Amino acid sequence: MEDKEGVDPASEFTSDSSWALAGGPDSVSDSVNYFFDRESNILSEFNWNLQPDHAEQIDRFDELERADTRPYLAGSFSGSHSCVAAAAAACGSGSGSGTASSPAGGSADVSTLIPSVSSSSGEDPSEKHTGSGGKPPEIPSKARKKGQKRIRQPRFAFMTKSEVEHLEDGYRWRKYGQKAVKNSPFPRSYYRCTNSKCTVKKRVERSSEDPTIVITTYEGQHCHHSVGFPRGGLISHEAAFAGRFTPSVSQFYYPHGEIPASIIRSQQVPIEIVESRTLPQTTNEGLLGDIVPPGIRNR
DNA sequence: CGACTTTGACCGGCGC
DNA sequence: GCGCCGGTCAAAGTCG
């Protein structure tokens, strides 16, 4: 999948007007709005209700999570640019991955990221790449392996400039696998939420092009509240993503009312966070950097 | 001792 | 049809 990820989908996105429309680096806010629109549509398909007019709803969620989430987020975002996001869902749309190989020169990172998401998205029906044996995450047993296609969970991925791979997001994860990634010197790690009832998974890998960039992909939605913010309450932007990912449970808080940013046509929301730093859990400096729509950032 | 990580093997989808 | 590769499993090892 890596290959595919690194290639096609990317092209799809990059070629996709969505990112292109992002405009130049200066048009971030515009792009955010643009993406938001798309996101709204996409998310609505998942009943995530993140449309602007649902801001209140978000707040409500936030209230529910206030105890742990808000403080956490507030702290993490305060002073930084907030925001973020993206999200993606895998289901749906997807169209095939654009064959257009993505020239996306400038968005190499993005391409890498998106592909994974997008390709998965398109798979709903046919479930392409995930070869994972089509085993439903929920059902560990191999029983469902055959005859039953795995239902793709919504996904979303984002890139983070970080020195540590595993960013705190308020949830506990158990690593269940690690694989070497083709064309990349860095392995990809697979995690699943430790909550037995929760099927959320996430993949973490470093960009082969820029080792300082960590690509995290979430899949699924948490069916429980976060466990709080461990380790000194350190928070990372990842938390925000995680929260976005699980609207029904942990919405995040946007200190400045920013709207989550991007979304992509295939229900994937790739996001690129530039200069964001995630420090070791012992520190308190995790900050979100500016979010730049894929394609904008030049490396 | 339980929870978690590591790691090799296996499975299935996809491209050629 | 074959081989490659991503994703997952599960046994063994590690840690607190």
Side-chain angles (χ1 to χ4, degrees), chain A residues 1-234:
Chain A
M1 175 187 241
E2 278 333 347
D3 300 352
K4 305 164 188 173
E5 287 186 359
V7 183
D8 286 348
S11 53
E12 179 177 7
F13 290 108
T14 49
S15 63
D16 184 283
S17 55
S18 58
W19 293 118
L21 292 177
D26 297 333
S27 59
V28 173
S29 62
D30 286 343
S31 21
V32 168
N33 290 330
Y34 170 78
F35 288 127
F36 184 76
D37 289 341
R38 299 195 102 194
E39 183 174 19
S40 298
N41 294 332
I42 293 172
L43 293 180
S44 64
E45 289 179 31
F46 291 84
N47 297 314
W48 285 7
N49 302 317
L50 290 177
Q51 298 175 29
D53 48 327
H54 284 86
E56 292 183 2
Q57 186 165 17
I58 290 175
D59 271 351
R60 265 177 266 139
F61 282 121
D62 179 51
E63 301 237 334
L64 292 175
E65 296 292 313
R66 187 181 304 172
D68 54 302
T69 307
R70 175 165 278 186
Y72 169 80
L73 292 173
S76 71
F77 291 109
S78 64
S80 63
H81 290 64
S82 52
C83 277
V84 171
C91 318
S93 61
S95 56
S97 29
T99 332
S101 46
S102 66
S107 52
D109 291 348
V110 173
S111 29
T112 301
L113 169 63
I114 294 170
S116 61
V117 176
S118 89
S119 59
S120 52
S121 64
E123 308 182 10
D124 241 348
S126 53
E127 161 146 75
K128 309 182 171 182
H129 64 283
T130 324
S132 42
K135 303 172 185 176
E138 314 74 335
I139 299 176
S141 67
K142 299 178 179 180
R144 282 176 78 181
K145 199 186 295 182
K146 294 183 179 179
Q148 188 148 11
K149 295 205 172 189
R150 172 182 173 185
I151 296 174
R152 281 271 165 212
Q153 297 290 313
R155 291 185 180 182
F156 88 44
F158 57 92
M159 301 171 115
T160 305
K161 200 150 199 165
S162 171
E163 304 197 359
V164 297
E165 292 184 9
H166 199 188
L167 309 174
E168 283 298 340
D169 60 7
Y171 291 91
R172 294 190 56 163
W173 303 90
R174 172 176 297 183
K175 187 175 186 175
Y176 66 88
Q178 178 172 305
K179 288 278 293 186
V181 178
K182 191 182 179 192
N183 296 324
S184 174
F186 307 102
R188 171 184 295 161
S189 296
Y190 299 87
Y191 299 86
R192 77 169 42 115
C193 184
T194 57
N195 185 311
S196 61
K197 296 177 184 176
C198 184
T199 63
V200 177
K201 286 184 265 188
K202 83 173 177 181
R203 292 193 306 239
V204 178
E205 66 184 284
R206 282 191 179 281
S207 168
S208 60
E209 296 185 1
D210 185 346
T212 65
I213 291 182
V214 176
I215 300 170
T216 303
T217 302
Y218 282 96
E219 180 177 338
Q221 298 181 38
H222 289 286
C223 60
H224 58 98
H225 287 239
S226 64
V227 297
F229 304 114
R231 297 164 219 196
L234 166 65

